[in-house]
């Protein structure tokens, strides 16, 4: 609210529309008067902006708000499921996933396509991904909804200042301009595209799905990603490179890793390492064997818990966050991982006697990253709705 | 400025005094009009509050401000060196240090007393420390200055909510109420006492001494402490327990540590470990041998650089902060540590190709923690000056 406003009625309206829609997003079911009180705008201004956004399909006005106080009840305002949708795309090492989400966060469509992207050229993979996006846009068209933005989750370091994917070790990619490659492969018009690290997107999605205000989300797929949430905000680091945990050196004398280091967490406790250790062909089989109390499977998970305990013990000692959320393949292993990991952390974290660490399963599991990518597109729409109101008018 | 104000003229004045003094602290040399503009208070209110603070010795009014624009120059306001001072006390494992600092940050007196506190009872050590504080207060009296607060730096985990020192592994202490123990041993009147982790205080002092906005301060004394600074703020974690790095497990198969773990950073790269490895009796001797190109001394520092590289590589991968500040004994070893550590970090930190990590020497060296403790006492005075104005009036 203290952001300086350049002159011009249109600019002021754009700013105020964002304030109003942000207030409705934060407190669904508010009345026009409630929004006016929270934003500091006059009721007349709020009413006029709300009316435009109702007409454009961004806001729904669903009758009297729930209220117990005196006075005539105002009508209750919500983000509208008919408004522009956010599309999430995840470039996994062994799959492509997309997810179409409305302004309220409801998932309208999901697609996952298995693939093998290890060491595949970025151009080819992103051309395939662009095809998937075109298909998703067509499906959105059939549903009668507009897609207002695309969030792309990638398993690598995304530089905040440039938006470039600087390195994705498990893909073998360096310095890729993901939006430019997608646009080169398909006509995506003026669709806004935002690229981000999959682990940070996953943490954002877990937070939005009701996660605690302070946690480390650690997720195993081919690699291991972490997203740090402090005070309800994803901590991305100074350049956007934060949250790297896969190449934590947990055993400096251990096996060589593709990154050039030795004994990296990913190499010892990643999905592939656990499956190899348990001699299981896939996670489904591993889970079956764990459920049947297979000792070899149990030992493999126990060893992974020890390596995870070393890395996460260091993270928690440094950041003092009281919860670990296990995502990706770890979410499925939670019933067997949680106890040994909790024990490891209790031993390793000096402060755990006064601040015990909870080990929680992810709510969204393997879907978290693509959900977070879609949610980031929705956030961008809510942060600047006026172009969508204009386009609808 | 949006803090709700309870009713009552005194409360409002107290709040506004803090606003005014905070504005002068942030922009030394401001005029009354400048302070009014920055705080949103009227010029009359600012003038009246400034006059009270000048009379009480908290603010000095040293003539026309430096300004090139038109109009009659206002007089320039500064925090006054005659105002209440902050006293810092550091409970080291092998020393007690104190430091008296005025509102402008100038050190007026420093004392260091060697000691051996390993496994000494908290009561006895804090009684000795209380004696040192009493001596420092007497010396301040001779200088004609009032001490407005005491900051106490301790080598352990301080719980923000209770102020309790929960554990100090190298002292062998648990659950110590430091202010209560000090007051039990000596009559400290109503002197406000604030306890904090020495590494976080050291990071605060380095920041105040002109450090970068984002860095990890890592310091070797008997233990190894770290303070994380992000966006110009010390990150203390959810409960105040953040910044633990001494017990990072960098070699899980390594030597046993007093914490119960194995291969902790402190055990492998702490001051004692380096001295033992180099067969040097103390840091002075080690530095002499390094300056004379002694190969054994060089190898010992090289090995420490490798362990530090593993721990700090993990920290930087997680937090994406672009600088390491070496404090305590590491500051003295900087000429020999910096190169091998920079090389280690360049190899280990995935993002270092786009965001090279600088390894800087601490500006304050072994003094940082006690300086930070004193600075925190000064900050508390500036944040609530009215009681000192009242006492002077």
């Amino acid at each position: 609210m203290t952001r300086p406003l350049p002159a011009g009625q249109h600019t002021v309206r754009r700013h105020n529309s964002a304030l109003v829609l942000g207030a409705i997003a934060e407190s669904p079911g508010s009345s026009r008067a409630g929004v006016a009180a929270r934003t500091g705008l006059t009721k007349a201004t709020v009413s006029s902006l709300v009316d435009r956004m109702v007409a454009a399909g961004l806001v729904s006005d669903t009758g009297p708000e729930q209220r117990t106080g005196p006075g005539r009840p105002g009508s209750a305002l919500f983000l509208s499921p008919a408004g522009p949708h956010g599309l999430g795309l995840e470039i996994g090492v062994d799959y492509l996933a997309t997810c179409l989400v409305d302004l309220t966060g409801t998932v309208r469509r999901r697609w996952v396509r298995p693939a093998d992207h290890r060491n595949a050229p970025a151009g080819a993979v992103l051309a395939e991904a662009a095809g998937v996006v075109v298909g998703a846009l067509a499906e959105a068209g059939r549903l009668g909804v507009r897609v207002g933005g695309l969030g792309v989750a990638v398993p690598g370091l995304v530089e905040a200042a440039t938006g470039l994917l600087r390195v994705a070790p498990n893909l073998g990619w360096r310095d890729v301009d993901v939006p430019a490659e997608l646009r080169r492969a398909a006509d995506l018009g003026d669709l806004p595209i935002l690229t981000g690290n999959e682990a940070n997107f996953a943490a954002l999605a877990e937070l939005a799905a009701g996660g605690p205000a302070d946690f480390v989300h650690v997720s195993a797929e081919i690699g291991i990603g972490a997203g740090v949430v402090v005070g309800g905000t994803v901590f991305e680091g100074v350049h956007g490179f934060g949250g790297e945990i896969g190449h934590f050196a947990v055993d400096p004398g251990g096996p060589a890793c593709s990154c050039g280091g030795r004994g990296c967490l990913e190499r010892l406790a990643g999905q592939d390492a656990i499956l190899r250790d348990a001699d299981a062909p896939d996670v489904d089989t591993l889970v079956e064997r764990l459920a049947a109390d297979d000792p070899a499977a149990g030992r493999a998970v126990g060893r992974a818990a020890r390596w995870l305990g070393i890395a996460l013990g260091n993270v928690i000692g440094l950041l003092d966050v009281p919860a670990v959320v296990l995502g990706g393949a770890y979410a499925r292993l939670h019933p067997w991982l949680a106890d040994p990991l909790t024990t490891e952390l209790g031993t390793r974290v000096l402060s755990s006697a006064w601040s015990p660490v909870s080990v929680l399963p992810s709510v969204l599991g393997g879907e978290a990253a693509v959900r977070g990518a879609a949610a980031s597109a929705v956030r961008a729409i809510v942060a600047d709705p006026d172009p969508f109101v204009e386009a609808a008018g």
Side-chain angles (χ1 to χ4, degrees), chain A:
Chain A
M1 288 174 66
T2 57
R3 179 151 44 121
L5 284 180
Q9 203 191 335
H10 176 71
T11 314
V12 172
R13 193 181 65 201
R14 186 167 178 176
H15 179 81
N16 291 343
S17 297
L19 281 183
V20 167
L21 199 60
I24 295 169
E26 265 177 42
S27 298
S30 295
S31 64
R32 286 166 175 76
V35 171
R38 255 196 309 285
T39 57
L41 301 171
T42 66
K43 273 210 245 182
T45 302
V46 169
S47 277
S48 147
L49 293 172
V50 165
D51 290 347
R52 287 178 78 235
M53 291 196 274
V54 169
L58 276 86
V59 170
S60 62
D61 182 344
T62 55
E65 67 181 324
Q66 302 296 317
R67 201 173 57 165
T68 53
R72 194 172 67 86
S75 63
L77 305 173
F78 296 88
L79 294 178
S80 168
H85 285 37
L87 183 63
L89 166 69
E90 182 183 1
I91 317 285
V93 176
D94 54 1
Y95 59 89
L96 283 176
T98 50
C99 169
L100 184 67
V101 171
D102 70 22
L103 287 183
T104 72
T106 302
V107 176
R108 298 292 303 276
R109 286 288 185 280
R110 294 204 310 117
W111 304 262
V112 183
R113 177 194 291 193
D116 186 359
H117 298 146
R118 289 189 212 226
N119 303 314
V125 172
L126 291 171
E128 186 196 353
V132 169
V133 170
V134 168
L137 294 174
E139 174 71 8
R142 282 190 290 276
L143 290 169
V145 297
R146 175 166 179 197
V147 174
L150 172 66
V152 186
V154 290
L157 299 183
V158 178
E159 190 171 59
T162 59
L164 289 178
L165 170 58
R166 286 302 195 176
V167 60
N170 290 313
L171 295 169
W173 296 0
R174 282 180 93 91
D175 295 320
V176 177
D177 185 337
V178 172
E181 293 288 339
L182 291 172
R183 290 189 199 284
R184 187 168 303 147
D187 179 9
L188 300 176
D190 58 357
L191 183 72
I193 305 179
L194 187 146
T195 313
N197 173 266
E198 44 97 15
N200 290 337
F201 275 142
L204 173 69
E206 290 290 334
L207 181 66
D214 304 281
F215 65 95
V216 181
H217 180 263
V218 59
S219 169
E221 309 283 348
I222 301 299
I224 297 179
V228 174
V229 174
V230 175
T233 302
V234 179
F235 179 77
E236 298 192 341
V238 175
H239 312 90
F241 295 147
E244 273 305 303
I245 196 175
H247 299 279
F248 253 56
V250 289
D251 185 14
C257 176
S258 61
C259 76
R262 289 199 157 271
C264 293
L265 179 64
E266 198 161 294
R267 184 75 182 66
L268 293 161
Q271 179 181 305
D272 284 5
I274 300 177
L275 292 178
R276 202 179 314 116
D277 191 9
D279 199 17
D282 52 43
V283 177
D284 287 336
T285 309
L286 178 63
V287 168
E288 272 170 34
R289 292 189 193 163
L290 287 165
D293 281 331
D294 176 78
R299 280 194 300 272
V301 170
R303 278 187 285 265
R306 178 162 173 268
W307 298 120
L308 263 176
I310 291 174
L312 291 172
N314 289 348
V315 171
I316 293 166
L318 190 72
L319 298 180
D320 178 26
V321 292
V324 170
V325 175
L326 296 177
Y330 289 150
R332 301 193 56 201
L333 301 178
H334 179 269
W336 301 277
L337 255 181
D339 277 354
L341 182 53
T342 305
T343 306
E344 282 286 330
L345 294 174
T347 317
R348 294 184 176 280
V349 177
L350 212 52
S351 61
S352 63
W354 307 278
S355 164
V357 181
S358 313
V359 176
L360 310 168
S362 151
V363 176
L364 301 171
E367 269 183 56
V370 73
R371 290 278 290 269
S376 78
V378 166
R379 281 193 177 202
I381 296 166
V382 173
D384 189 15
D386 219 45
F388 300 95
V389 177
E390 294 275 307

